Amino acid sequence: MDSKIAIIGLGYVGLPLARLFATKYSVVGFDINQKRISELNSGNDVTLEVDEITLKNVLVNNSSAAIGLFCTHNLEDIKDCNYYIVTVPTPVDKNNRPDLTPLYKSSETVGKVLKKGDVVIYESTVYPGVTEEECIPVLEKVSGLKFNVDFFAGYSPERINPGDKEHTVEKILKVTSGSTPEIGLKVNELYKSVIIAGTHLAPSIKVAEAAKVIENSQRDINIAFVNELAKIFNILEIDTQAVLEAAGTKWNFLPFKPGLVGGHCIGVDPYYLAQKAQERGYHPEIILAGRRLNDSMGEYVASQVVKLMIKKGVTINGAQLLMLGFTFKENCPDVRNTKIVDVVSALTDYGIQVTIYDPWAKPEEVWHEYQLKTTNELPTMTFDSLVLGVAHKEFQTLDLSKLKNDNCVVFDVKGVLKDKADGKL
């Protein structure tokens, strides 16, 4: 039987994957967001992960095409598929507890069309056990089919890096797994057919789930370490960047930099692993300590900015500050879980008037998520303080002198302004 693939969720992960599979297979991209489907069918990807020409080259106008991508919000259009790949978000709630709602709902969706012999593959980042202990029971209940008898499952963790045009999905080695050894091989061959970087077949779904969640937990802990170093060296009046450059001359020193840890992966995934560990009676110390430290950095940045402003004689209450950047990372429109919001909140608590300029972030999306006003246009007024929070390419050549009042403080969170800043992490 020919492989026909349904991608469930067409966001930062699902669309690039759908586009790639569509170069060799019949692919139906499914998303409940009708506006998103309309935009994609016109060749417009607002996430900027797939450009218009590339997208239009794979789009087809019906779900029965032998090769190509058909985007839809109609459940009927995915009922003929035999592979269902789930790429929905896995966020945390306000208390940093894993929220599996998107996974449950997408599993219900797939369960409605699941047939004998079908394979359901999950790519969403989860703690070990979610696929088999949480998602599979939903599939069985809705479909009436029996797992590993009538249908099968796989897990292949996403490794998308939003905004990265060099390390695209086909160039990143893919971990794969299956619910039986035979299905593992089938899942591996499916991905191997389009991933030029190759694949790694894990011995079980839980191993693959665990591998993904520790990738980002490891980065989180390493960044927390250098964030703590930045705090220590600031007290000692030592340039953190200079220290890291010196230490980096040793061949096995890891090149991490201090900063704000946001986004939908590094700032979220460690909580998934911690949750599972706590369910089994183990309290993870290093993982949660790293999370606490990284989550404190927004308020720390704000306090450092205020100290510099006071030293320069700037009146804090009512001061005008320009925040350069709001997205969670550079050259990317994604504002999910951005930690710039923590900096803005802390600065506002000091009585500072904050203007947020970000040429990448969509003002309506920022308002919807955070009830904050942002602008895509560089302000024409001058400010008492400038804070570079995100290293967008537009900021590299920005003439800061036109934005500065007398005694203006410039704080560089990302360490890219070299000698132009009064303070940095």
Side-chain angles (χ1 to χ4, degrees), residues 41 87 102 142 201 205 231 238-239 243 309 339 378 384 386:
N41 282 328
T87 60
V142 176
L201 177 57
I205 286 176
K231 290 183 176 183
I238 300 174
D239 187 330
V243 173
M309 292 171 71
K339 292 306 174 182
L378 183 65
D384 300 306
L386 308 176

Side-chain angles (χ1 to χ4, degrees), residues 41-339:
N41 282 328
S42 66
N44 177 29
D45 171 27
V46 295
T47 70
L48 305 181
E49 290 302 302
V50 181
D51 65 80
E52 183 177 357
I53 294 175
T54 302
L55 182 55
K56 285 185 173 180
N57 280 342
V58 296
L59 285 174
V60 293
N61 57 16
N62 66 78
S63 61
S64 59
I67 294 178
L69 172 62
F70 178 70
C71 298
T72 181
H73 57 81
N74 187 349
L75 191 62
E76 286 292 307
D77 292 323
I78 64 172
K79 66 180 182 180
D80 294 331
C81 297
N82 46 31
Y83 282 95
Y84 294 90
I85 303 179
V86 178
T87 60
V88 296
T90 43
V92 292
D93 63 18
K94 63 181 181 180
N95 297 313
N96 292 321
R97 292 176 301 201
D99 180 4
L100 300 178
T101 303
L103 273 180
Y104 290 142
K105 289 189 176 300
S106 59
S107 296
E108 289 174 0
T109 297
V110 173
K112 293 174 183 177
V113 295
L114 201 60
K115 308 173 300 302
K116 286 191 175 183
D118 289 349
V119 179
V120 185
I121 304 168
Y122 290 87
E123 289 216 357
S124 307
T125 303
V126 293
Y127 54 78
V130 166
T131 299
E132 292 157 299
E133 296 165 15
E134 301 290 342
C135 299
I136 296 304
V138 176
L139 292 172
E140 287 187 314
K141 180 179 178 180
V142 176
S143 69
L145 300 176
K146 188 170 179 59
F147 177 50
N148 275 345
V149 175
D150 300 318
F151 74 94
F152 305 89
Y155 183 80
S156 180
E158 61 89 0
R159 281 179 166 172
I160 295 291
N161 188 24
D164 191 337
K165 303 307 177 187
E166 180 181 352
H167 302 97
T168 51
V169 59
E170 64 267 36
K171 298 177 184 176
I172 302 172
L173 194 143
K174 203 82 162 68
V175 174
T176 62
S177 64
S179 55
T180 69
E182 295 77 19
I183 294 302
L185 290 172
K186 287 185 66 174
V187 171
N188 191 65
E189 286 303 313
L190 182 70
Y191 281 99
K192 195 174 182 180
S193 68
V194 293
I195 304 291
I196 60 177
T199 58
H200 173 87
L201 177 57
S204 71
I205 286 176
K206 285 184 179 179
V207 166
E209 291 170 326
K212 172 57 183 176
V213 80
I214 71 164
E215 288 175 23
N216 290 328
S217 296
Q218 183 186 66
R219 285 186 59 79
D220 193 42
I221 291 166
N222 278 308
I223 296 171
F225 172 62
V226 293
N227 275 337
E228 188 160 64
L229 292 180
K231 290 183 176 183
I232 293 170
F233 294 143
N234 182 53
I235 295 170
L236 299 177
E237 298 183 346
I238 300 174
D239 187 330
T240 303
Q241 300 294 337
V243 173
L244 293 175
E245 286 178 16
T249 58
K250 189 180 181 188
W251 75 92
N252 61 352
F253 185 82
L254 300 177
F256 286 90
K257 294 181 179 180
L260 302 170
V261 183
H264 62 292
C265 289
I266 300 177
V268 172
D269 296 351
Y271 288 121
Y272 274 73
L273 186 56
Q275 169 82 9
K276 188 63 174 179
Q278 289 168 331
E279 286 178 1
R280 296 296 180 92
Y282 179 80
H283 182 77
E285 298 182 30
I286 294 176
I287 292 172
L288 291 179
R291 277 284 73 235
R292 284 192 298 271
L293 197 145
N294 284 338
D295 277 346
S296 74
M297 289 305 291
E299 191 168 332
Y300 176 77
V301 167
S303 69
Q304 295 305 299
V305 172
V306 170
K307 285 180 182 179
L308 289 169
M309 292 171 71
I310 292 172
K311 286 181 180 179
K312 281 200 171 187
V314 178
T315 301
I316 301 303
N317 192 21
Q320 296 289 335
L321 181 145
L322 178 62
M323 176 63 67
L324 295 168
F326 189 83
T327 60
F328 92 89
K329 66 179 292 187
E330 66 275 6
N331 308 322
C332 171
D334 195 350
V335 299
R336 289 177 296 173
N337 197 33
T338 175
K339 292 306 174 182

Side-chain angles (χ1 to χ4, degrees), residues 321-383:
L321 181 145
L322 178 62
M323 176 63 67
L324 295 168
F326 189 83
T327 60
F328 92 89
K329 66 179 292 187
E330 66 275 6
N331 308 322
C332 171
D334 195 350
V335 299
R336 289 177 296 173
N337 197 33
T338 175
K339 292 306 174 182
I340 298 296
V341 70
D342 294 346
V343 183
V344 172
S345 177
L347 290 169
T348 303
D349 285 345
Y350 283 105
I352 296 173
Q353 303 296 312
V354 180
T355 300
I356 306 170
Y357 164 57
D358 192 314
W360 289 79
K362 294 176 176 58
E364 62 274 15
E365 188 175 342
V366 175
W367 179 258
H368 179 265
E369 292 291 328
Y370 305 102
Q371 288 73 58
L372 289 172
K373 290 183 179 180
T374 59
T375 177
N376 297 136
E377 301 296 328
L378 183 65
T380 55
M381 63 182 285
T382 55
F383 297 86

